[in-house]
Amino acid sequence: MAKFSEIFNSTKPIIGVVHLLPLPGTPHYDPNVPFGNVIERAKRETKTLIENGFDGIVFANEGDRPYITQVGPEIIASYVRIVTEVLPNVTIPYGCGVLMDPIATFAIAKAIDAKFVRTYVNGTFTGTFGFHNFNPGSIFRYRKMIDADNIPMFCNFTAHAGVSFDSRPLEEIVDGVLPVIEPDAILVPGPRAGLPPNFNEVENLKNKFPAVPILITSGINTENVKEAMDICDGIIVGTSIKKDGVIWNEICPKRAEKFIKIAKDL
């Protein structure tokens, strides 16, 4: 856990998500919204997370739904421009993830000097976002080519809003990928955004692999955060700190403050 613990000033970091508004070329992009407004919202959300004591930030192009596994240059360019405008005021560790493109994720991480990435690097899945297959050999060769293999990887190994073609239990999947993929943290989501994973499965996974950081990445709120923190090594939270608990809304300062106070016993 050395690399993971070196990133954050916390033994169990709480990482808030800054969801970018829909970017150019995606179904929900609104050309009538000035790009400056997109940047200003990201700045406000980042400020809210920092001021309320979150341990880290991860940027995500959540607004670009439904997602694809190979985004265009317009997404990469827009993403980098937005985050670059935000970074001068960021005082806590930050990472990035491009839904659902690991190549773009590493490219952007390299450009913005991200402290970690949130991504898939292997597996074959189908579901809400169609069929997607991730080839670790190709991804890792690209990562090596751009000299990004020093960027910590927080990896998903299970389907989110879908099913995996790998029918093995999660513990067996993780046991197989650890010596090959060497993730710096394992991400465990629920069935979809806003829903938690099975806590018993998370606890069993942590017990089997105590040296590997396990993060719960969806469905954590003020009602279950204490229980979640007892069985994992950190939380990534987005939906529950949004206005009215709606994922597409802006982060609500009061909800963010309440979440942190309960999670950290403040």
Side-chain angles (χ1 to χ4, degrees), residues 130-266:
F131 177 85
H132 37 288
N133 177 62
F134 303 100
N135 185 324
S138 298
I139 295 166
F140 281 23
R141 281 162 175 78
Y142 177 78
R143 184 179 68 145
K144 183 70 173 181
M145 182 185 74
I146 65 170
D147 192 29
D149 46 1
N150 63 325
I151 302 174
M153 299 184 302
F154 297 2
C155 299
N156 285 296
F157 296 111
T158 55
H160 193 47
V163 295
S164 172
F165 282 85
D166 190 335
S167 60
R168 294 175 296 170
L170 179 56
E171 291 180 19
E172 287 188 25
I173 293 174
V174 170
D175 189 56
V177 301
L178 283 179
V180 179
I181 304 299
E182 299 180 300
D184 295 285
I186 294 171
L187 306 178
V188 185
R192 62 164 174 79
L195 296 181
N198 183 305
F199 280 8
N200 289 330
E201 291 182 0
V202 176
E203 188 171 19
N204 290 339
L205 190 67
K206 185 60 194 173
N207 289 337
K208 187 173 179 62
F209 305 102
V212 182
I214 309 292
L215 276 68
I216 297 177
T217 63
S218 70
I220 303 305
N221 53 50
T222 55
E223 301 298 320
N224 62 12
V225 65
K226 298 297 292 182
E227 181 183 0
M229 293 293 278
D230 285 340
I231 61 172
C232 71
D233 298 294
I235 301 291
I236 296 180
V237 60
T239 302
S240 71
I241 59 173
K242 298 297 191 77
K243 180 182 178 182
D244 299 325
V246 176
I247 190 171
W248 315 120
N249 289 345
E250 189 167 338
I251 292 175
C252 171
K254 289 185 178 179
R255 292 177 75 105
E257 179 184 21
K258 182 179 180 181
F259 185 91
I260 286 292
K261 282 184 175 180
I262 293 174
K264 296 191 174 186
D265 289 321
L266 298 178

Side-chain angles (χ1 to χ4, degrees), residues 24-42:
T26 61
H28 296 277
Y29 172 67
D30 185 352
N32 296 312
V33 176
F35 211 77
N37 290 16
V38 180
I39 294 170
E40 288 305 312
R41 169 166 158 166

Side-chain angles (χ1 to χ4, degrees), residues 27-130:
H28 296 277
Y29 172 67
D30 185 352
N32 296 312
V33 176
F35 211 77
N37 290 16
V38 180
I39 294 170
E40 288 305 312
R41 169 166 158 166
K43 285 182 177 180
R44 287 194 303 271
E45 293 198 334
T46 301
K47 184 172 183 285
T48 295
L49 295 175
I50 293 171
E51 289 183 344
N52 283 287
F54 282 74
D55 302 299
I57 292 169
V58 62
F59 297 97
N61 60 323
E62 209 82 19
D64 292 350
R65 67 205 189 275
Y67 312 115
I68 55 178
T69 56
Q70 185 174 354
V71 302
E74 71 284 353
I75 300 301
I76 297 173
S78 299
Y79 195 125
V80 171
R81 180 189 168 190
I82 294 166
V83 175
T84 300
E85 295 270 4
V86 172
L87 288 182
N89 297 316
V90 175
T91 56
I92 57 177
Y94 60 92
C96 67
V98 178
L99 297 161
M100 300 173 65
D101 186 340
I103 297 295
T105 295
F106 280 110
I108 290 173
K110 183 69 175 179
I112 67 173
D113 193 26
K115 310 312 174 189
F116 63 93
V117 295
R118 176 189 187 184
T119 190
Y120 283 95
V121 293
N122 75 313
T124 303
F125 311 95
T126 190
T128 301
F129 305 114

